[in-house]
Amino acid sequence: MTPVAAAQFTYDELTSIVGWYVDMGVDIAIDEAVHDRFSEDSQKLAAPARAPVRPPAETPKRAPLARIDALPAPASPDQAIVSAKEISARAQSLDELRAAIEAFDGCNLKRSAQRTVFADGNPQARLMFVGEAPGADEDRQGIPFVGRAGQLLDRMLKAINLDRSEVYIANAVPWRPPGNRTPTPQETAICLPFIRRQIELVGPQVLVCLGASSMQSILGVNEGILKTRGRLFDYPMDNGRKIKAMATLHPAYLLRSPAQKRLAWRDFQEIANLLKVASA
Ligand code: URA
């Protein structure tokens, strides 16, 4: 697609172009200039010594959005993981961890997200949920699980006589992936030290991963969620303590496949039992 000057379109045409982008799933603008990332990558890989490719003369030269431009380039993924481990280990409280994550620039997702979505609920809770990553509503409000999936999670909690003030809720990745795509394995690996430290600082008795992505990164399981949900794990924290952990179906999946709610219902009954046993 070639860049076009907005002035050449009528208002109705521009509205229709923006509508088309929204229909195609484009819901954020990360730059004002069009880039062919595929050809940039292949040029870098195939001929690193070549002179930089200049934009065609007619390409409008606009400054990139300030927010994106202001962030330094992320470190290599390996360096980012090392740095995430170091700063997580240094955080002695949830407030320190939140500040450390907010200052961290090693994950690309932060460049397109509006906010760091850290947590909601009670930091002294005995039950902690970890979702996948924020969606659009969470990105706007900076609070996990506030959209439709979050409202379903609230109803699931109510079914076992709990509410948000009695649980702690976070995500395996604290920044919204563009277009709500699943975080890549590299993104979850970079963010893993943060959520591991967050779990340790909360110190719940029972940990519940919501959905496959959270389960795979936190419990290190590579099977599908339908096979693994409801199974009991001992989750080892870095301080040597082990807590009970389980994965269950993500509320967003349940909104798409309501017939599977019966499986989640079983899991929530088991979660309620685990809490009862832990407090006995
Ligand atoms: N889905 C998630 O996994 N986390 C949220 O916070 C919202 C939706």
Side-chain angles (χ1 to χ4, degrees), residues 131-135 138 144-145 171 250:
E132 175 180 301
E138 291 76 19
F145 284 97
N171 278 308
H250 195 289

Side-chain angles (χ1 to χ4, degrees), residues 112-181:
S112 53
Q114 291 185 44
R115 288 165 191 267
T116 299
V117 178
F118 184 67
D120 193 25
N122 184 345
Q124 266 99 46
R126 299 163 57 220
L127 174 60
M128 175 166 176
F129 289 92
V130 181
E132 175 180 301
D137 294 314
E138 291 76 19
D139 188 42
R140 258 192 302 275
Q141 298 186 39
I143 303 171
F145 284 97
V146 287
R148 282 184 67 225
Q151 288 154 21
L152 176 56
L153 178 61
D154 288 344
R155 294 198 292 279
M156 291 157 79
L157 287 174
K158 199 164 174 211
I160 55 169
N161 297 317
L162 291 175
D163 63 34
R164 266 181 201 240
S165 69
E166 295 164 289
V167 302
Y168 186 83
I169 306 174
N171 278 308
V173 169
W175 297 289
R176 181 194 183 208
N180 290 350
R181 65 165 170 77

Side-chain angles (χ1 to χ4, degrees), residues 248-261:
T248 190
L249 303 173
H250 195 289
Y253 169 77
L254 296 174
L255 288 172
R256 294 191 300 272
S257 312
Q260 304 287 45
K261 283 185 187 168

Side-chain angles (χ1 to χ4, degrees), residues 213-229:
S213 175
S214 164
M215 170 194 82
Q216 286 165 357
S217 94
I218 288 164
L219 301 181
V221 178
N222 278 321
E223 289 166 348
I225 185 74
L226 285 170
K227 189 160 178 209
T228 311
R229 57 143 281 278

